Amino acid sequence: MIIAKTIEEVRAQVRAWKQEGLTVGLVPTMGYLHEGHASLVDKAVSQCDRVVASDFVNPTQFGPNEDLEAYPRDFDRDCALLEEHGCHMVFYPEVSEMYAPDAATYVEILSDMPKQLCGQTRPIHFRGVCTVVSKLFNIVTPDKAFFGQKDAQQLAIIRRMVRDLSYGIEIVGCPIVREPDGLAKSSRNTYLNPQERQAALVLSQAVRLGQTMVEEGETDARRVVEAMTAHIQAEPLARIDYVSAVDGVTMLPVETIQGSVLVAMAVYIGKTRLIDNFIVEKGE
């Protein structure tokens, strides 16, 4: 596996691959990889001739009081996982390689999409995500890019950005990967102590509760959200950021569960902010 630290290294290698007529897939990550990331690489390997993973903790998507410095990092471990799953190149740039000291250009969606859900309490987050993903698309020029469904709002926003800016890249969403007890895989799970790790199961339990209500015929979004909220609030270590039902494309709130609906949550367990969700595709 090639380890590239500069933009020019990546561009030169991708050019060589494309001259051979090979397709290229991109898996953008912030490192500290787990089985969820591995599933994205597996999907990319199955659909593309060559796969590039980025391993970059992007500073522009962290707010002033968020966990940029504390965010877990282990590049050697990341490389072992990527190589094991057939990744061909990892892009591991310094911040100075990605952002000039006087960088002043951002990519931002100006609709209400980024203001919902996570955007309510993380106002600059999706501007940072769109900017770094846009840069990665320009650097790697992939045919396809692979993102996890756990970050469902991010996935919807990237799809909109790709459409609006005519990138011509196919965005492939991949299912949430969970621990055996249901907790969604996340790099931030490492922050949890044993008591918090047990408490964190309220997220996946609330997901199952909501899914069951919908499967049994409930179409009132407020009732589903209220039941999930009550379940989470019963856990003393849990503090809810949001539990919401929104349109799966626009991210705007819905009252009725019909069409494509995303039911998503962000919950603090102690000081650790975790997210989870499920998607409903229901006929009109």
Side-chain angles (χ1 to χ4, degrees), residues 5-40:
K5 295 191 174 183
T6 69
I7 291 167
E8 188 44 49
E9 284 177 88
V10 176
R11 285 183 165 152
Q13 182 59 67
V14 170
R15 269 197 305 272
W17 285 337
K18 292 200 169 185
Q19 284 167 1
E20 293 179 53
L22 302 173
T23 58
V24 177
L26 171 65
V27 180
T29 86
M30 292 212 302
Y32 212 72
L33 307 182
H34 51 66
E35 289 88 341
H37 299 107
S39 74
L40 302 182

Side-chain angles (χ1 to χ4, degrees), residues 53-159:
S54 62
D55 192 316
F56 178 64
V57 182
N58 174 41
T60 65
Q61 68 193 66
F62 287 80
N65 300 311
E66 294 181 346
D67 59 343
L68 173 59
E69 295 308 320
Y71 196 83
R73 296 161 169 87
D74 188 340
F75 183 62
D76 290 342
R77 180 171 158 273
D78 292 346
C79 285
L81 181 144
L82 290 170
E83 197 150 24
E84 181 185 342
H85 287 267
C87 183
H88 301 89
M89 177 162 62
V90 57
F91 179 38
Y92 184 55
E94 297 288 341
V95 172
S96 58
E97 181 71 10
M98 291 295 282
Y99 295 103
D102 59 347
T105 305
Y106 292 90
V107 178
E108 187 168 14
I109 290 179
L110 296 179
S111 74
D112 286 334
M113 280 182 83
K115 299 174 185 174
Q116 311 303 315
L117 306 178
C118 289
Q120 296 174 64
T121 53
R122 306 184 75 192
I124 67 164
H125 177 68
F126 290 111
R127 183 183 77 171
V129 169
C130 286
T131 300
V132 77
V133 171
S134 183
K135 288 172 73 70
L136 290 168
F137 286 172
N138 287 332
I139 293 163
V140 180
T141 60
D143 299 285
K144 298 183 179 186
F146 299 78
F147 295 85
Q149 189 62 56
K150 182 167 75 73
D151 296 292
Q153 184 178 15
Q154 170 180 282
L155 178 57
I157 285 171
I158 287 168
R159 288 190 196 282

Side-chain angles (χ1 to χ4, degrees), residues 198-232:
Q198 187 61 33
L201 296 179
V202 292
L203 280 86
S204 55
Q205 290 165 0
V207 163
R208 284 197 297 274
L209 172 62
Q211 286 174 318
T212 299
M213 290 178 70
V214 172
E215 287 164 5
E216 291 176 352
E218 183 59 73
T219 58
D220 186 327
R222 182 179 54 83
R223 285 184 190 153
V224 173
V225 167
E226 284 178 353
M228 293 170 65
T229 299
H231 182 82
I232 296 165

Side-chain angles (χ1 to χ4, degrees), residues 183-213:
L183 181 67
K185 297 269 188 183
S186 169
S187 302
R188 289 188 169 97
N189 290 349
T190 58
Y191 297 162
L192 302 170
N193 66 35
Q195 187 182 6
E196 290 168 341
R197 174 65 180 75
Q198 187 61 33
L201 296 179
V202 292
L203 280 86
S204 55
Q205 290 165 0
V207 163
R208 284 197 297 274
L209 172 62
Q211 286 174 318
T212 299
M213 290 178 70

Side-chain angles (χ1 to χ4, degrees), residues 153-167:
Q153 184 178 15
Q154 170 180 282
L155 178 57
I157 285 171
I158 287 168
R159 288 190 196 282
R160 178 62 56 89
M161 178 185 80
V162 165
R163 187 203 73 177
D164 290 355
L165 296 183
S166 307
Y167 266 111

